[in-house]
């Protein structure tokens, strides 16, 4: 591995050094619940189009798009190039994509033996064989590699052989060429949730990868994305301003969750004390072990972001959109009945009109922000800021100017 400074320019958006902000979009993991951020992103992109024309896309405004698992798939959809070197998918196409393909990725058994069949599948292998997902993303992405995305991408996964996280980051490719994998392999790897989908093995050059779901490492990868940007600033990447890595007034972060289960007691220590392997993997229709580590990692990141942005007087630069009140099938990652998928669309639409909320770092509960308005209004404000930032960069680049 080399340590020299490398540049990270991309097609489209001018580099941050020509503007005032470093813009980051984050999308959590969550299986079929990826429909929820799909709805939110459609609205955000429509607001950007209202300002700058119907041809603009999210990749034209964000320096970094981060995603884990289903969020990694969405990140790839909106940053991978098509034959015209524009994003493969517009944001408005995300939800239809999920509605069409999720029932094939997570086929439902149904009938009175449904629970027994699912239980037996988990005992002897993953619940789903992953073949449809593999064929789908391979067909869509072909041989497109990480280095070809239209803006910088950060997608975590976890190598089960080496027992360590693997972050597929556009920023690291020049220093570590083995990370320049095909986007299809990255998507399959970051989505390989234990007990749900098989682990994914592939070779890239002489390096082998043995990947499982990125949620093991970072279900909310916004902190990973900020870390990648901080690394570039510290390494004096000429595309980034010469500023303090802790100057959060320069960061603009929109982080979108996929919803979480309403915090009602399901388990307790007396129950868990009696569990063996099966009890931790399958219990009351869910997997306590998987739910615990994905929820814990996401919550810790949200709390950290809240504390840091507030401590560094940059709270208005951070927008977290999340629904923490899901119940029943809506909280699942793989229930793909029409009723549930349509219900997730409604959750996303309802979330737009919910008040802007931030997690209370003492209780872990999301609470409305005083005078914060709705998420719809906040996204409109952020769209204006993103549009203004893009215009500033275009103007400075045309005039040959660079802001320090």
């Amino acid at each position: 591995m080399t340590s020299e400074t490398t540049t990270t320019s991309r097609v489209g958006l001018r580099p941050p050094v020509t503007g005032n902000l470093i813009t980051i979009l984050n999308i959590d993991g969550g299986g079929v619940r990826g429909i929820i951020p799909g709805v939110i992103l459609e609205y955000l992109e429509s607001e950007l189009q209202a300002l700058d024309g119907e041809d603009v896309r999210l990749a034209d405004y964000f320096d970094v798009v981060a995603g884990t698992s289903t969020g990694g798939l969405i990140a790839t959809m909106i940053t991978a190039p098509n034959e015209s070197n524009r994003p493969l998918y517009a944001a408005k196409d995300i939800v239809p994509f999920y509605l069409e393909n999720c029932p094939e990725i997570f086929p439902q058994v149904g009938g009175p033996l449904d629970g027994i069949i699912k239980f037996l599948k988990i005992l002897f292998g993953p619940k789903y064989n992953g073949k449809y997902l593999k064929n789908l993303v391979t067909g869509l992405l072909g041989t497109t590699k990480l280095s070809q995305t239209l803006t910088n991408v950060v997608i975590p996964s976890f190598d089960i052989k080496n027992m360590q996280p693997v972050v597929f980051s556009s920023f690291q490719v020049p220093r570590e060429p083995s990370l320049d994998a095909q986007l299809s392999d990255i998507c399959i790897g970051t989505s390989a949730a234990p007990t749900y989908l098989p682990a994914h093995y592939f070779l890239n050059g002489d390096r082998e990868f043995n990947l499982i779901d990125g949620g093991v490492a970072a279900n909310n990868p916004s902190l990973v994305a900020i870390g990648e940007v901080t690394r570039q600033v510290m390494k004096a990447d000429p595309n980034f301003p010469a500023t303090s890595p802790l100057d959060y007034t320069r960061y603009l972060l929109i982080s979108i969750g996929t919803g979480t289960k309403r915090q009602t007691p399901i388990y307790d220590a007396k129950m868990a004390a009696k569990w063996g392997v099966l009890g931790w993997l399958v219990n009351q229709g869910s997997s306590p072990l998987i739910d615990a580590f994905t929820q814990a990692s996401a919550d810790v990141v949200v709390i950290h972001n809240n504390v840091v942005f507030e401590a560094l007087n940059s709270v208005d630069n951070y927008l977290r959109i999340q629904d923490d009140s899901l119940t029943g099938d809506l909280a699942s990652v793989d229930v793909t009945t029409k009723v549930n998928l349509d219900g997730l669309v409604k959750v996303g639409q309802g979330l737009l009109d919910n008040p802007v909320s931030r997690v209370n770092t003492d209780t872990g509960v999301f609470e409305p922000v005083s005078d914060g308005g709705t998420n719809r209004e906040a996204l409109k404000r952020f769209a204006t800021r993103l549009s203004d930032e893009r215009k500033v960069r275009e103007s400075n680049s045309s005039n040959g100017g660079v802001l320090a």
Side-chain angles (χ1 to χ4, degrees), residues 314-334:
S314 305
V315 70
D316 291 336
N317 286 10
Y318 172 45
L319 176 64
R320 173 68 173 173
I321 298 180
Q322 176 71 306
D323 188 324
D324 62 351
S325 62
L326 301 183
T327 58
D329 287 346
L330 290 173
S332 76
V333 298
D334 67 330

PDB file of all heavy atoms in Angstrom, residues 314-334:
ATOM      1  N   SER A 314     -22.651  23.508  14.571  1.00  0.00           N
ATOM      2  CA  SER A 314     -22.995  23.216  13.185  1.00  0.00           C
ATOM      3  C   SER A 314     -24.291  22.421  13.083  1.00  0.00           C
ATOM      4  O   SER A 314     -24.512  21.709  12.107  1.00  0.00           O
ATOM      5  CB  SER A 314     -21.853  22.430  12.528  1.00  0.00           C
ATOM      6  OG  SER A 314     -20.636  23.108  12.646  1.00  0.00           O
ATOM      7  N   VAL A 315     -25.144  22.550  14.082  1.00  0.00           N
ATOM      8  CA  VAL A 315     -26.327  21.698  14.142  1.00  0.00           C
ATOM      9  C   VAL A 315     -27.254  21.904  12.946  1.00  0.00           C
ATOM     10  O   VAL A 315     -27.947  20.976  12.515  1.00  0.00           O
ATOM     11  CB  VAL A 315     -27.077  21.924  15.482  1.00  0.00           C
ATOM     12  CG1 VAL A 315     -27.727  23.301  15.521  1.00  0.00           C
ATOM     13  CG2 VAL A 315     -28.089  20.821  15.731  1.00  0.00           C
ATOM     14  N   ASP A 316     -27.252  23.096  12.363  1.00  0.00           N
ATOM     15  CA  ASP A 316     -28.114  23.356  11.206  1.00  0.00           C
ATOM     16  C   ASP A 316     -27.576  22.725   9.923  1.00  0.00           C
ATOM     17  O   ASP A 316     -28.250  22.765   8.895  1.00  0.00           O
ATOM     18  CB  ASP A 316     -28.285  24.867  10.998  1.00  0.00           C
ATOM     19  CG  ASP A 316     -29.113  25.508  12.102  1.00  0.00           C
ATOM     20  OD1 ASP A 316     -29.913  24.787  12.734  1.00  0.00           O
ATOM     21  OD2 ASP A 316     -28.947  26.716  12.343  1.00  0.00           O
ATOM     22  N   ASN A 317     -26.378  22.160   9.995  1.00  0.00           N
ATOM     23  CA  ASN A 317     -25.792  21.497   8.825  1.00  0.00           C
ATOM     24  C   ASN A 317     -26.089  20.005   8.789  1.00  0.00           C
ATOM     25  O   ASN A 317     -25.642  19.309   7.873  1.00  0.00           O
ATOM     26  CB  ASN A 317     -24.272  21.686   8.810  1.00  0.00           C
ATOM     27  CG  ASN A 317     -23.861  23.084   8.414  1.00  0.00           C
ATOM     28  OD1 ASN A 317     -24.693  23.975   8.321  1.00  0.00           O
ATOM     29  ND2 ASN A 317     -22.583  23.282   8.187  1.00  0.00           N
ATOM     30  N   TYR A 318     -26.838  19.519   9.775  1.00  0.00           N
ATOM     31  CA  TYR A 318     -27.084  18.079   9.911  1.00  0.00           C
ATOM     32  C   TYR A 318     -28.578  17.815   9.974  1.00  0.00           C
ATOM     33  O   TYR A 318     -29.280  18.351  10.825  1.00  0.00           O
ATOM     34  CB  TYR A 318     -26.387  17.562  11.174  1.00  0.00           C
ATOM     35  CG  TYR A 318     -26.701  16.135  11.556  1.00  0.00           C
ATOM     36  CD1 TYR A 318     -26.712  15.108  10.618  1.00  0.00           C
ATOM     37  CD2 TYR A 318     -26.976  15.806  12.883  1.00  0.00           C
ATOM     38  CE1 TYR A 318     -26.973  13.802  10.979  1.00  0.00           C
ATOM     39  CE2 TYR A 318     -27.239  14.504  13.275  1.00  0.00           C
ATOM     40  CZ  TYR A 318     -27.239  13.496  12.317  1.00  0.00           C
ATOM     41  OH  TYR A 318     -27.511  12.200  12.681  1.00  0.00           O
ATOM     42  N   LEU A 319     -29.043  16.968   9.068  1.00  0.00           N
ATOM     43  CA  LEU A 319     -30.450  16.573   9.058  1.00  0.00           C
ATOM     44  C   LEU A 319     -30.529  15.056   9.087  1.00  0.00           C
ATOM     45  O   LEU A 319     -30.028  14.375   8.186  1.00  0.00           O
ATOM     46  CB  LEU A 319     -31.149  17.105   7.807  1.00  0.00           C
ATOM     47  CG  LEU A 319     -32.621  16.685   7.626  1.00  0.00           C
ATOM     48  CD1 LEU A 319     -33.495  17.245   8.759  1.00  0.00           C
ATOM     49  CD2 LEU A 319     -33.148  17.145   6.263  1.00  0.00           C
ATOM     50  N   ARG A 320     -31.120  14.525  10.142  1.00  0.00           N
ATOM     51  CA  ARG A 320     -31.357  13.090  10.263  1.00  0.00           C
ATOM     52  C   ARG A 320     -32.855  12.840  10.145  1.00  0.00           C
ATOM     53  O   ARG A 320     -33.659  13.421  10.896  1.00  0.00           O
ATOM     54  CB  ARG A 320     -30.844  12.573  11.606  1.00  0.00           C
ATOM     55  CG  ARG A 320     -31.183  11.115  11.922  1.00  0.00           C
ATOM     56  CD  ARG A 320     -30.474  10.147  11.026  1.00  0.00           C
ATOM     57  NE  ARG A 320     -30.705   8.747  11.460  1.00  0.00           N
ATOM     58  CZ  ARG A 320     -30.305   7.683  10.785  1.00  0.00           C
ATOM     59  NH1 ARG A 320     -29.654   7.830   9.645  1.00  0.00           N
ATOM     60  NH2 ARG A 320     -30.550   6.469  11.240  1.00  0.00           N
ATOM     61  N   ILE A 321     -33.249  12.000   9.200  1.00  0.00           N
ATOM     62  CA  ILE A 321     -34.657  11.672   8.995  1.00  0.00           C
ATOM     63  C   ILE A 321     -34.842  10.185   9.296  1.00  0.00           C
ATOM     64  O   ILE A 321     -34.258   9.326   8.619  1.00  0.00           O
ATOM     65  CB  ILE A 321     -35.114  12.008   7.570  1.00  0.00           C
ATOM     66  CG1 ILE A 321     -34.968  13.509   7.310  1.00  0.00           C
ATOM     67  CG2 ILE A 321     -36.554  11.576   7.347  1.00  0.00           C
ATOM     68  CD1 ILE A 321     -35.404  13.941   5.913  1.00  0.00           C
ATOM     69  N   GLN A 322     -35.634   9.889  10.296  1.00  0.00           N
ATOM     70  CA  GLN A 322     -35.812   8.520  10.745  1.00  0.00           C
ATOM     71  C   GLN A 322     -37.184   8.360  11.385  1.00  0.00           C
ATOM     72  O   GLN A 322     -37.692   9.291  12.027  1.00  0.00           O
ATOM     73  CB  GLN A 322     -34.714   8.150  11.747  1.00  0.00           C
ATOM     74  CG  GLN A 322     -34.814   6.789  12.389  1.00  0.00           C
ATOM     75  CD  GLN A 322     -34.510   5.659  11.448  1.00  0.00           C
ATOM     76  OE1 GLN A 322     -35.108   5.555  10.366  1.00  0.00           O
ATOM     77  NE2 GLN A 322     -33.590   4.784  11.821  1.00  0.00           N
ATOM     78  N   ASP A 323     -37.791   7.202  11.190  1.00  0.00           N
ATOM     79  CA  ASP A 323     -39.050   6.850  11.862  1.00  0.00           C
ATOM     80  C   ASP A 323     -38.741   5.752  12.863  1.00  0.00           C
ATOM     81  O   ASP A 323     -38.341   4.646  12.471  1.00  0.00           O
ATOM     82  CB  ASP A 323     -40.078   6.376  10.826  1.00  0.00           C
ATOM     83  CG  ASP A 323     -41.472   6.188  11.424  1.00  0.00           C
ATOM     84  OD1 ASP A 323     -41.557   5.756  12.591  1.00  0.00           O
ATOM     85  OD2 ASP A 323     -42.461   6.466  10.737  1.00  0.00           O
ATOM     86  N   ASP A 324     -38.926   6.037  14.145  1.00  0.00           N
ATOM     87  CA  ASP A 324     -38.610   5.046  15.171  1.00  0.00           C
ATOM     88  C   ASP A 324     -39.868   4.442  15.780  1.00  0.00           C
ATOM     89  O   ASP A 324     -39.866   3.990  16.923  1.00  0.00           O
ATOM     90  CB  ASP A 324     -37.735   5.658  16.270  1.00  0.00           C
ATOM     91  CG  ASP A 324     -38.414   6.798  17.018  1.00  0.00           C
ATOM     92  OD1 ASP A 324     -39.502   7.225  16.581  1.00  0.00           O
ATOM     93  OD2 ASP A 324     -37.875   7.246  18.046  1.00  0.00           O
ATOM     94  N   SER A 325     -40.938   4.397  14.984  1.00  0.00           N
ATOM     95  CA  SER A 325     -42.216   3.924  15.532  1.00  0.00           C
ATOM     96  C   SER A 325     -42.838   2.807  14.697  1.00  0.00           C
ATOM     97  O   SER A 325     -44.052   2.600  14.738  1.00  0.00           O
ATOM     98  CB  SER A 325     -43.199   5.102  15.626  1.00  0.00           C
ATOM     99  OG  SER A 325     -43.478   5.634  14.339  1.00  0.00           O
ATOM    100  N   LEU A 326     -42.029   2.089  13.930  1.00  0.00           N
ATOM    101  CA  LEU A 326     -42.572   1.026  13.092  1.00  0.00           C
ATOM    102  C   LEU A 326     -43.055  -0.142  13.950  1.00  0.00           C
ATOM    103  O   LEU A 326     -42.469  -0.471  14.975  1.00  0.00           O
ATOM    104  CB  LEU A 326     -41.525   0.531  12.095  1.00  0.00           C
ATOM    105  CG  LEU A 326     -40.952   1.567  11.122  1.00  0.00           C
ATOM    106  CD1 LEU A 326     -39.993   0.896  10.149  1.00  0.00           C
ATOM    107  CD2 LEU A 326     -42.066   2.282  10.373  1.00  0.00           C
ATOM    108  N   THR A 327     -44.109  -0.780  13.487  1.00  0.00           N
ATOM    109  CA  THR A 327     -44.655  -1.937  14.201  1.00  0.00           C
ATOM    110  C   THR A 327     -44.942  -3.057  13.211  1.00  0.00           C
ATOM    111  O   THR A 327     -45.072  -2.834  12.006  1.00  0.00           O
ATOM    112  CB  THR A 327     -45.964  -1.583  14.935  1.00  0.00           C
ATOM    113  OG1 THR A 327     -46.921  -1.097  13.980  1.00  0.00           O
ATOM    114  CG2 THR A 327     -45.730  -0.517  15.996  1.00  0.00           C
ATOM    115  N   GLY A 328     -45.037  -4.268  13.740  1.00  0.00           N
ATOM    116  CA  GLY A 328     -45.436  -5.414  12.923  1.00  0.00           C
ATOM    117  C   GLY A 328     -44.511  -5.646  11.739  1.00  0.00           C
ATOM    118  O   GLY A 328     -43.291  -5.464  11.820  1.00  0.00           O
ATOM    119  N   ASP A 329     -45.104  -6.022  10.601  1.00  0.00           N
ATOM    120  CA  ASP A 329     -44.331  -6.334   9.401  1.00  0.00           C
ATOM    121  C   ASP A 329     -43.554  -5.133   8.876  1.00  0.00           C
ATOM    122  O   ASP A 329     -42.518  -5.297   8.224  1.00  0.00           O
ATOM    123  CB  ASP A 329     -45.256  -6.852   8.294  1.00  0.00           C
ATOM    124  CG  ASP A 329     -45.765  -8.259   8.563  1.00  0.00           C
ATOM    125  OD1 ASP A 329     -45.203  -8.929   9.445  1.00  0.00           O
ATOM    126  OD2 ASP A 329     -46.738  -8.679   7.902  1.00  0.00           O
ATOM    127  N   LEU A 330     -44.040  -3.929   9.151  1.00  0.00           N
ATOM    128  CA  LEU A 330     -43.338  -2.743   8.672  1.00  0.00           C
ATOM    129  C   LEU A 330     -41.915  -2.661   9.220  1.00  0.00           C
ATOM    130  O   LEU A 330     -41.038  -2.067   8.596  1.00  0.00           O
ATOM    131  CB  LEU A 330     -44.102  -1.476   9.067  1.00  0.00           C
ATOM    132  CG  LEU A 330     -45.434  -1.225   8.353  1.00  0.00           C
ATOM    133  CD1 LEU A 330     -46.143  -0.033   8.982  1.00  0.00           C
ATOM    134  CD2 LEU A 330     -45.214  -0.992   6.859  1.00  0.00           C
ATOM    135  N   ALA A 331     -41.676  -3.265  10.374  1.00  0.00           N
ATOM    136  CA  ALA A 331     -40.350  -3.228  10.984  1.00  0.00           C
ATOM    137  C   ALA A 331     -39.445  -4.351  10.486  1.00  0.00           C
ATOM    138  O   ALA A 331     -38.263  -4.397  10.832  1.00  0.00           O
ATOM    139  CB  ALA A 331     -40.473  -3.313  12.512  1.00  0.00           C
ATOM    140  N   SER A 332     -39.975  -5.239   9.656  1.00  0.00           N
ATOM    141  CA  SER A 332     -39.179  -6.358   9.159  1.00  0.00           C
ATOM    142  C   SER A 332     -38.257  -5.905   8.038  1.00  0.00           C
ATOM    143  O   SER A 332     -38.420  -4.823   7.474  1.00  0.00           O
ATOM    144  CB  SER A 332     -40.100  -7.467   8.639  1.00  0.00           C
ATOM    145  OG  SER A 332     -40.640  -7.103   7.375  1.00  0.00           O
ATOM    146  N   VAL A 333     -37.286  -6.746   7.712  1.00  0.00           N
ATOM    147  CA  VAL A 333     -36.390  -6.435   6.592  1.00  0.00           C
ATOM    148  C   VAL A 333     -36.735  -7.243   5.349  1.00  0.00           C
ATOM    149  O   VAL A 333     -36.185  -6.986   4.275  1.00  0.00           O
ATOM    150  CB  VAL A 333     -34.913  -6.700   6.962  1.00  0.00           C
ATOM    151  CG1 VAL A 333     -34.484  -5.814   8.112  1.00  0.00           C
ATOM    152  CG2 VAL A 333     -34.666  -8.173   7.274  1.00  0.00           C
ATOM    153  N   ASP A 334     -37.671  -8.185   5.463  1.00  0.00           N
ATOM    154  CA  ASP A 334     -37.877  -9.102   4.333  1.00  0.00           C
ATOM    155  C   ASP A 334     -39.330  -9.484   4.056  1.00  0.00           C
ATOM    156  O   ASP A 334     -39.578 -10.380   3.246  1.00  0.00           O
ATOM    157  CB  ASP A 334     -37.068 -10.377   4.562  1.00  0.00           C
ATOM    158  CG  ASP A 334     -37.555 -11.211   5.740  1.00  0.00           C
ATOM    159  OD1 ASP A 334     -38.100 -10.628   6.707  1.00  0.00           O
ATOM    160  OD2 ASP A 334     -37.384 -12.448   5.715  1.00  0.00           O
TER     161      ASP A 334
END
